[in-house]
Amino acid sequence: MTLFPNMGITPDIRKIKLTSRATLGYLVVIIAATLEALRQILSKAFLVPDGQITNELNPVTISFFIFIIIGLFFSPLTRKSSSIKTIRKKDLLFLTLIGIAESSALITYFFGLHDSTALNASVLNNSELMFAILLAIIIFREKLQKMERIPSAMIISGMIILPIGYDFYSNGITMSKVVFGDSLLLLAGLFWALDIIMSHYISSRVDSKRITQLTSFLAGLFALCLILGFQIPFKIDITHMPAIAIVGIVSIGMSTALFITGLKLIGAVRTILIYSINSAFGVIFSGVFLHESVTMASIISVSLAFLGIYLLRNRLGSRDQKLTIRDEEAKHD
C-alpha cells in the first residue's frame, strides 16, 4: 500500500534510503581498502625492522597471535549477533574452511612479504580478486566471452606479468628472493580468493562480526596446529606486540568485517571495484612511509589491473547474481 499516494512521498523516501545505503557502502569499502593498504607497511616493519632480517619472528607464530587477537577483539561485538548454536552445520563447515584459507593466506603472505617489498605486495595484493573471478568461472563452468578477454588479459598483465617480469629483469632474469617472494604473494592471493567466495556465500545468513570472530579463532587454531606439528619456536618479542595488535585488529580484522559489510550493502560488483584501489593506496604508503622507490612499472601495473577489473564489471555482476540466487536456494535447504 502506498502512503500519501497523491503526493508521491514513498518513492522519494525509497530513493533516499537507497542512496544512503549506497553512500554508506562506498564509505565502508573505501575505509576497508585503506586499512588493507596499511597492512603491507606495518607488516613489513616488524618482519624486517630497520632493513635487517629478524629470525626470531616466524610468520606462523605471528599469524597465530594476530588471529587470536582479532577473535578476542570481535567477541564482545558479537553479543547482538545470532548465537553460534543457531548456525547451520553446513555454514559451520564453511566457516572452518574460511578459517583455514585465511590462515594459509596470511602465513604465505608473510613469508612472501619477508622476501619481497611492500610496494610489490601492494601491486600483487589484488591478485585475490583475479583468482576470485577465475574460481567463479570454474565453479559455474563458463567461458570468457570475446569482449571479456581483453580486460582479463589486462588484469593478469597488471597483477602478474608486469610486476614479476620487472623483478626478473631487475635481477638479471634469475629466481631471486624478491621473485620467490612475489610468487608466494600470488599464492596468498589464491587462498584469499577462496576466502572471498566462501565469505560471500554465507554473509547473507551469518553476521559479519560473527564471521570474523569465528574464522579468526579457527585460523588461529590452524596456525597453532602448524606450530606444534612442525615444532616452530613459540616465542615473540614483546616490543612487536603493539604493531601485531594493530595489524590484527585494524588492518585485517576491521578491514575484513567492513569488506563483508560492503558486500551486503552494495553487492560484490561495486565492493570489488572500489576495494581494488587498495593497491594504489599501498603504492603511495610504501613510498611515503618506507621510502621504497615507486617505479613507472608499478604505476602501470596498478592502473592496468584496476582498469581491467572495471571493464569486467559485467562479468562480476553475473557472478554476484548467481551467488545471490544460490544463497536464496540455500535458505530453503
Side-chain angles (χ1 to χ4, degrees), residues 6 11-12 14 45 52 62 72 74 77 105 110 113 143 164 266 288 293:
N6 296 328
D12 292 337
R14 288 178 179 176
Q52 297 178 352
I62 297 173
L72 292 174
F74 276 89
L77 304 178
F110 279 152
L113 182 61
K143 296 181 180 180
I164 295 183
I266 59 177
V288 173
S293 178

Side-chain angles (χ1 to χ4, degrees), residues 11 13 23 72 111 142-143 170 213 274 276 288 291 324 328:
I13 293 176
T23 302
L72 292 174
F111 275 113
E142 293 185 8
K143 296 181 180 180
S170 301
Q213 177 210 28
I274 297 172
S276 63
V288 173
H291 307 292
T324 301
E328 293 298 325

Side-chain angles (χ1 to χ4, degrees), residues 139-150:
I139 291 173
F140 293 109
R141 296 183 179 179
E142 293 185 8
K143 296 181 180 180
L144 286 174
Q145 302 299 319
K146 290 183 178 180
M147 296 297 293
E148 297 168 337
R149 292 172 186 173
I150 293 178

Side-chain angles (χ1 to χ4, degrees), residues 20-306:
S20 300
R21 182 183 178 90
T23 302
L24 178 61
Y26 292 140
L27 180 61
V28 162
V29 179
I30 290 174
I31 295 174
T34 305
L35 297 179
E36 170 70 15
L38 288 173
R39 185 184 64 192
Q40 289 90 255
I41 312 304
L42 297 173
S43 300
K44 187 67 175 180
F46 64 72
L47 279 172
V48 188
D50 299 326
Q52 297 178 352
I53 297 176
T54 303
N55 295 323
E56 297 178 359
L57 293 178
N58 188 285
V60 182
T61 305
I62 297 173
S63 299
F64 167 76
F65 280 103
I66 284 178
F67 284 122
I68 296 303
I69 290 172
I70 295 174
L72 292 174
F73 177 80
F74 276 89
S75 291
L77 304 178
T78 58
R79 293 176 181 175
K80 295 183 179 181
S81 303
S82 58
S83 173
I84 298 177
K85 295 180 180 179
T86 62
I87 300 176
R88 303 183 311 174
K89 292 183 178 179
K90 185 178 180 180
D91 289 334
L92 285 175
L93 174 61
F94 270 99
L95 289 171
T96 302
L97 294 175
I98 291 173
I100 294 174
E102 287 186 356
S103 187
S104 301
L106 189 61
I107 292 170
T108 307
Y109 172 83
F110 279 152
F111 275 113
L113 182 61
H114 185 279
D115 292 337
S116 186
T117 63
L119 191 145
N120 280 10
S122 300
V123 174
L124 297 170
N125 196 42
N126 279 329
S127 62
E128 62 193 68
L129 304 180
M130 178 194 68
F131 285 125
I133 295 172
L134 293 178
L135 287 174
I137 291 174
I138 293 173
I139 291 173
F140 293 109
R141 296 183 179 179
E142 293 185 8
K143 296 181 180 180
L144 286 174
Q145 302 299 319
K146 290 183 178 180
M147 296 297 293
E148 297 168 337
R149 292 172 186 173
I150 293 178
S152 299
M154 292 171 66
I155 295 173
I156 295 173
S157 297
M159 292 181 181
I160 301 178
I161 298 176
L162 275 179
I164 295 183
Y166 180 79
D167 286 338
F168 264 119
Y169 174 78
S170 301
N171 292 278
I173 320 297
T174 59
M175 177 59 77
S176 65
K177 289 183 64 176
V178 174
V179 176
F180 180 70
D182 291 346
S183 301
L184 291 179
L185 291 172
L186 282 176
L187 180 58
L190 176 59
F191 288 128
W192 267 312
L194 293 169
D195 177 15
I196 289 175
I197 291 178
M198 290 186 288
S199 294
H200 184 61
Y201 178 75
I202 66 171
S203 62
S204 61
R205 298 187 299 278
V206 183
D207 181 71
S208 60
K209 294 186 290 293
R210 178 68 74 187
I211 292 175
T212 305
Q213 177 210 28
L214 294 178
T215 56
S216 296
F217 281 133
L218 290 167
L221 178 61
F222 180 74
L224 180 61
C225 291
L226 293 179
I227 290 172
L228 298 176
F230 292 95
Q231 298 182 346
I232 298 172
F234 194 79
K235 64 177 182 177
I236 199 165
D237 193 336
I238 192 65
T239 59
H240 292 108
M241 288 305 296
I244 291 174
I246 293 174
V247 171
I249 296 173
V250 179
S251 296
I252 298 178
M254 292 184 66
S255 177
T256 301
L258 291 173
F259 181 86
I260 296 174
T261 302
L263 290 174
K264 291 183 177 181
L265 291 174
I266 59 177
V269 182
R270 284 179 285 183
T271 298
I272 289 175
L273 287 174
I274 297 172
Y275 190 74
S276 63
I277 66 176
N278 68 72
S279 288
F281 289 153
V283 170
I284 295 172
F285 294 159
S286 298
V288 173
F289 297 110
L290 297 182
H291 307 292
E292 294 183 354
S293 178
V294 179
T295 64
M296 183 57 67
S298 300
I299 297 175
I300 295 175
S301 296
V302 172
S303 301
L304 264 179
F306 181 76

